[in-house]
Amino acid sequence: MLSEHRCFEGIQGFYRHDSQVIGLPMRFSVFRPPQAEQRPVPVLFYLAGLTCTEETFAIKAGAQRRAAELGLMLVTCDTSPRATGIPGEADDWEFGAGAGFYVNATQAPWSRNFRMYDYVLDELRATVLNNFAARPDRVGIFGHSMGGHGALVLALRNPQVYRSVSAFAPICSPTRCAWGQKALPRYLGEDRSAWEQYDAVELIKAGGRQVYPEILVDQGLADKFLHQSQLLPELLESACKSASQPLRLRRHEGYDHGYYFIATFVADHLLFHAKALEATA
């Protein structure tokens, strides 16, 4: 335990553990709502975007008040391994430290530590379930930008684990945008079929069916990365339509890519997940 803070009658905590998957210490945060003092509660994992850490959402999103009202546990993690010793790991904000893209790297030297997909899916989830009053049958996931990509991919590939999914301004198709085309070959090699396993649009197209009752996505229309074709929500919309996967894609005039946008709509996402998780049999 690094620190714990009373927050809306719950506890906002920051923690470090030795990760067997990553092979290095990893940091994460947990907001325990007041209901967790009496019983296990639904748990919602949040994946942050490029350059962020386990602290970013907890500090900037203002989500704890609504999570306390709804009885939701909130978990965040770092966006990559840190201090791996790989030369140049922190030279580029779009790749390496702070930019793990939630994939299991297969290419040296990144494959030694950059296994964020398995870390989030298995080790972080098990760590939370084993140490906090979280319900293993009531788990949701959401995220922002690179983390929105990660949340969509993890949910689409593991619907038996994650019962609800949403995203803020996600990278919907990293195989088709500059961010993904920089990172994926360096993490995964040149085989594009390996990239497609981490592309929400490709996963929905390949599945060709409804996976979730609904997916919620919010996108700001003043988002510079939208206009740079990094996010491509229209491709997600088209893929969901073809697969009969219900998607609530909300476009918001005047909102950019940052945490003022997230703070504005985070309560809607928490309510969306709370309803879905409580409705789960």
Side-chain angles (χ1 to χ4, degrees), residues 99-222:
F101 273 84
Y102 304 101
V103 304
N104 287 336
T106 59
Q107 303 300 299
W110 310 100
S111 56
R112 185 176 68 236
N113 307 113
F114 279 68
R115 301 186 58 81
M116 290 299 294
Y117 179 91
D118 279 355
Y119 174 73
V120 173
L121 175 63
D122 295 324
E123 189 173 30
L124 177 64
R125 181 166 58 95
T127 299
V128 170
L129 293 176
N130 290 335
N131 290 280
F132 300 90
R135 291 193 58 171
D137 60 336
R138 298 285 195 276
V139 179
I141 191 166
F142 69 148
H144 169 231
S145 193
M146 177 186 73
H149 138 76
L152 290 169
V153 167
L154 278 153
L156 290 167
R157 289 176 58 174
N158 302 280
Q160 76 284 2
V161 172
Y162 302 105
R163 304 301 185 178
S164 58
V165 59
S166 72
F168 298 96
I171 303 172
C172 295
S173 185
T175 64
R176 296 178 176 84
C177 74
W179 278 333
Q181 289 167 359
K182 172 188 278 190
L184 296 180
R186 296 171 73 181
Y187 286 137
L188 303 173
E190 297 298 332
D191 182 359
R192 292 187 68 91
S193 66
W195 305 6
E196 291 172 357
Q197 297 305 304
Y198 298 100
D199 185 307
V201 169
E202 291 301 318
L203 291 171
I204 290 169
K205 287 168 62 178
R209 60 180 178 83
Q210 179 178 334
V211 181
Y212 286 92
E214 186 177 47
I215 296 171
L216 172 63
V217 172
D218 278 316
Q219 175 63 60
L221 294 181

Side-chain angles (χ1 to χ4, degrees), residues 6 13 20-21 69 72 89 101 160 173 211 227-228 267:
R6 198 72 175 165
Q20 300 303 306
V21 170
E69 294 170 353
L72 280 176
E89 69 174 336
F101 273 84
Q160 76 284 2
S173 185
V211 181
H227 302 295
Q228 293 173 7

Side-chain angles (χ1 to χ4, degrees), residues 218-272:
D218 278 316
Q219 175 63 60
L221 294 181
D223 186 328
K224 67 179 181 180
F225 300 118
L226 175 68
H227 302 295
Q228 293 173 7
S229 297
Q230 296 280 27
L231 306 177
L232 304 172
E234 67 277 7
L235 298 185
L236 181 67
E237 190 172 44
S238 176
C240 285
K241 183 177 180 180
S242 295
S244 298
Q245 168 58 58
L247 171 70
R248 195 188 336 165
L249 173 56
R250 308 192 303 181
R251 295 174 169 91
H252 304 281
E253 291 285 351
Y255 285 91
D256 62 21
H257 197 70
Y259 270 80
Y260 296 114
F261 160 62
I262 294 172
T264 301
F265 299 106
V266 71
D268 294 349
H269 284 247
L270 298 185
L271 181 59
F272 169 82

